[in-house]
Amino acid sequence: MNRVIGDQSADTQRSLFILSPGDRDGLSEAAQRAGWRPISARRAKDAPQRFLHSEAQVALVDLRNGGSAAELLAPLVPAMEAGGGALLALLDPADEVHAPAIMAAGATHYLVGPPGDAALRGALASAHRLVERVGGGAQDSRRAQRIRRGDALYWEWNRKSGLLTLSDNLVRQLDLPASRVQPATLLRHLPRTERRGVLASLRAMRRAGRPAALAHALPDRPGLRLVHHLRLLDSGVAADVEWLSEGAEGDAASRDYLTGLRSRHAALDWLDRRSGLATTILLLSISQFDRMNAAYGQVVGDALLGRIARRIERMVDDVAPGSMVARIAGTEFLVGLIGEAAGSDRATFLARQLIGVIGRPFSAGDHLIRLTTRCGIAQSRMEDDATALLRRAGTALADARQAGGEGIRILSAERQSRQVDGDRLETDLRLALDRGEIGIVFQPQYPVDAEKIIGVEALARWNHPHYGPLSAGILFATAERSDYMLPLSAHIQAAALRQAAAWPRALSDLRLSINVTAADIAQPGFMKSLLGLVDASGFPRSRLTVEITESGLIEDVASASALLTALRAEGLAVAIDDFGTGYSSLAYLKSLPLDYLKIDSGLAQDITGTARDRIVVRGVIHMAKSLGLKVIAEGVETEQQLALLSREGCDFYQGFLRSAGVPSAELINLVLAEG
């Protein structure tokens, strides 16, 4: 339904942004008669941001009745030019003599009013032709609108069904349970004091039979308001929704007109005001964006930057609310963190989330666009000014671009550089075990319908003396390069079993999952060695799950099947880890004796993506359940992901929504707190 609504608005009804202090409703009605969808405003304040956040590529500015071009027209010009749009100025007949000056100020068309329907229709058609020429044709223009609409806010009420159908983004913003709901459900998610006014506006619009608008605050988010631009359809009522920021700054230089984020100038001012205070900045860079521009055109590229900005804003709002977000140049974005969010762990977590959310595909008509992102993180020093801190973040970003891996590098307040030297890591790894640098953390696993920890997965962390904490991905990649995988794997398994065996009675029901690598499986005496390790530790076989990654099975499914059968006969449970990342997944489900299927974090997070993403995840879960397997989802980060996974039949989950990996002592405290 959402797709149908979006396609209709793209192909049969173009969007028009109207700024008119004195005749907003009349112009909106005229625009609708001309076949356009009006998104209108009376106040010049915030008009550039509202224009950017709308889907409109044409703006109509009413300069009649003494309207000031400096106040009404000029602020919209940079936003219009950045997006390749058109700007139509509406003049009094007596002011037509000033038309050349108005055009020189940035308008692309003008019209003398009050305009008749035919004159308005012709002027808008001319403006739209300019948009198509600038944007490379109608197809590119529609594709750009579809990109913008992917993060748009809108709803439609169907008179026959009595249901509201809302865009996915509006569902998230209002914390609604589904995209199709009763109108009463939407009202219950609005502040109680606003409900009567919303109902009155809807009734008044239906009686008058013409477009109208209503605005309301958001529960638990003071200072933020949404405005709904209502229009009548044959089937019911529809609304285009946008943010109405009452407290936005009036200084045009504080905003980036292409994305609506803070500008580089505003970011530097913010950093200067933070001088001497604990601050961390994330500098994000979108890779190879110029190739995307060459393939799809600048209009699509500009629209895509707007969608990237919205994804960044939402993620920062979820993880570190109150942080500063800016576009500082081209495809570089800056996030400024303060307070608890400025800690290295929290900043790194946010960086991973941002890289992940930007990496999810963007739709451009019939095409999917995938982007990669690098991130440099810099923590402030007492002597840092804004320029110095930004320069250090740039150094970290350059390191991230060169080093590969997960694409994140940190310049802490104490260190000059965190770029990882691969050769040094290989050398240091051989000493790391003796030095006690390889530690174990346990990530809790929960049932989807309860909050009690039922098991944990043992994960490795390398606390490097120079680079600080390094992820398991870097650790195992280094081990593979240095042919040190077998000693490392044995150390991790033994350490996890030893710590788990020492847990107090309160943890006696917890299952432990340990990872087994491809190199382990290839060893002729692997099963005997593993069982000896388990029994020597004293940890019960009945509570142990062996997780084997898909890459460890690809070469010889038959041998893997025999090994897993033997392990299960000895009392261990068996799971496939990271399911969905390999190339023989269906063959594994058919051929291997398993107890659990662990869905890869990327696949689990896709369940909140497109309808096609949800179909894939649903299919994996249903296949596993039909084979009698329990399903565990990794990397669950939001309540929405959890709710959808639960609805599809997932049994257990782990992820940052509930807990990162924690040391054994902290795990014990978590379990004791539950009891």
Side-chain angles (χ1 to χ4, degrees), residues 226-240:
L226 287 173
V227 59
H228 300 236
H229 299 279
L230 307 170
R231 64 187 190 278
L232 289 170
L233 303 176
D234 291 340
S235 59
V237 178
D240 299 289

Side-chain angles (χ1 to χ4, degrees), residues 152-179:
L153 305 166
Y154 59 86
W155 57 260
E156 181 178 305
W157 174 71
N158 184 279
R159 185 181 296 107
K160 185 175 181 180
S161 69
L163 293 176
L164 283 171
T165 300
L166 304 98
S167 67
D168 290 342
N169 195 11
L170 187 56
V171 170
R172 286 192 295 270
Q173 298 298 341
L174 296 177
D175 194 26
L176 293 169
S179 60

Side-chain angles (χ1 to χ4, degrees), residues 21 150 245 283 289 340 380 437 459 485 659:
S245 175
L283 190 58
F289 201 83
E340 292 182 2
S380 65
E437 295 170 5
L459 303 169
M485 186 64 80
S659 177

